[in-house]
Amino acid sequence: MEYARLGNSGLKVSRASLGTMNFGPSGGVGVGSCDEAEARRIIDAFLDTGHNLIDTADAYTGGESERIVGRAIKRRRDAVVLATKAFLPQGPGANDKGLSRAHLTRALDASLRRLGTDYIDLYQCHQWDPGTPIDETMATLDDFVRSGRVRYVGCSNFTAAQIVESQWAAERVRGTRFVSLQHQYSLLARSIEPEILPTCERHGLGTLIWSPLGGGVLTGRYTRDATPDRSSRIGRLMDSPSPLAQAWGNELLAERNLDIADEVAKIAAALGSTSTAVALAWVRQRPGVTSVILGPRTLDQLTGNLTGFALDLPSDAIARLDEISATGAQLR
């Protein structure tokens, strides 16, 4: 089993992380539909193979994801690097969201209760909060670390400038710095490369990558001439009452994305592998990537995803994938 140090910390994490957005019924953030029995099988299989980082959030499936994870790891808590996140609304009140001391303190207490634990290994700011001074946020997170309820802190979906502001604020308050950034990265979405990855390297953040399969497009599951299955991720997005979810589903099925998926399938066939394995191996082998978050809904999906961590792409395959996924690339 391969482990990597998370940023400028001593914490060792597996190159594959388990994302739990789908655990539980639909509700809050996440499309859900993975029941607790299947979620437990996934968690057990993931840990049994030596992987250790499990990522959740207070907003995933209305808090049910945290409850499921907490019950599943109860007997092996010390073997797990447990990560969760806070920012999104937890109620209707003015202080029921964001990165203020008021909200973060309540959010941490609630996550600890749902997870059935007395500490979080990695506590992450789910989004940037323009309504709270960053010094207040970083001082609050430092208090959590000093109390022993949190071991390390990180951020999610921050820009390069926001990362720098946060690390400077931690210095000003003589507090704990971020050790990680969680961000989207795949053959379909490479905006992290020009500024964010170099900033993470300079400021001591490891990277936890979400949506490495481009919402499932890179698995080869979706085609131009067929409506997405309603049980699929994109099918559920398109069936959602949320206009934003519907727009996301349509964006994922853009012609460029399907063209790239076709090329990934050709490379996979030439290597005697699968599109899923090739897409995940490409992300895993990118410079600056610490761990790649998988988001399976079934045990079979997890098994298929993990093949991407046993595949080392040859240099010519990497060069072709780089070429076809570059911004403005014309496939030929």
Side-chain angles (χ1 to χ4, degrees), residues 34 74 88 165 174 181 183 197 201 280 299 318 324:
C34 177
K74 184 175 182 179
L88 295 174
E165 283 294 317
R174 298 183 180 181
L181 168 74
H183 207 283
L197 283 176
E201 182 179 7
L280 289 171
L299 182 56
I318 293 174
I324 65 174

Side-chain angles (χ1 to χ4, degrees), residues 222-280:
Y222 304 99
T223 62
R224 294 170 179 78
D225 55 357
T227 301
D229 189 290
R230 297 186 68 176
S231 67
S232 69
R233 180 181 182 84
I234 293 180
R236 296 194 306 277
L237 286 171
M238 289 183 165
D239 280 348
S240 170
S242 166
L244 289 176
Q246 295 171 20
W248 185 17
N250 286 317
E251 181 181 336
L252 286 170
L253 293 180
E255 194 70 18
R256 170 187 177 271
N257 293 352
L258 293 173
D259 285 343
I260 293 172
D262 289 344
E263 292 293 316
V264 171
K266 293 176 185 177
I267 292 171
L271 295 175
S273 186
T274 66
S275 292
T276 295
V278 167
L280 289 171

Side-chain angles (χ1 to χ4, degrees), residues 21-27 30-36 38-39 61 230-233 236 296-298:
M21 179 184 281
N22 293 317
F23 290 1
S26 297
V31 290
S33 80
C34 177
D35 65 27
E36 182 161 359
E38 185 70 358
T61 57
R230 297 186 68 176
S231 67
S232 69
R233 180 181 182 84
R236 296 194 306 277
R297 289 190 296 117
T298 67

Side-chain angles (χ1 to χ4, degrees), residues 33-112:
S33 80
C34 177
D35 65 27
E36 182 161 359
E38 185 70 358
R40 287 198 176 206
R41 285 190 286 270
I42 291 170
I43 290 171
D44 286 343
F46 179 80
L47 296 176
D48 287 345
T49 52
H51 301 89
N52 67 354
L53 177 55
I54 298 179
D55 178 72
T56 185
D58 59 3
Y60 289 171
T61 57
E64 191 60 23
S65 174
E66 286 188 327
R67 296 185 185 95
I68 290 172
V69 170
R71 289 190 288 263
I73 68 171
K74 184 175 182 179
R75 298 183 183 277
R76 55 201 307 183
R77 175 67 183 89
D78 290 344
V80 177
V81 176
L82 179 59
T84 193
K85 300 181 283 293
F87 169 87
L88 295 174
Q90 297 296 294
N95 293 308
D96 289 337
K97 64 180 180 179
L99 300 180
S100 67
R101 181 179 293 273
H103 177 63
L104 284 177
T105 301
R106 288 200 296 266
L108 176 61
D109 289 342
S111 286
L112 290 170

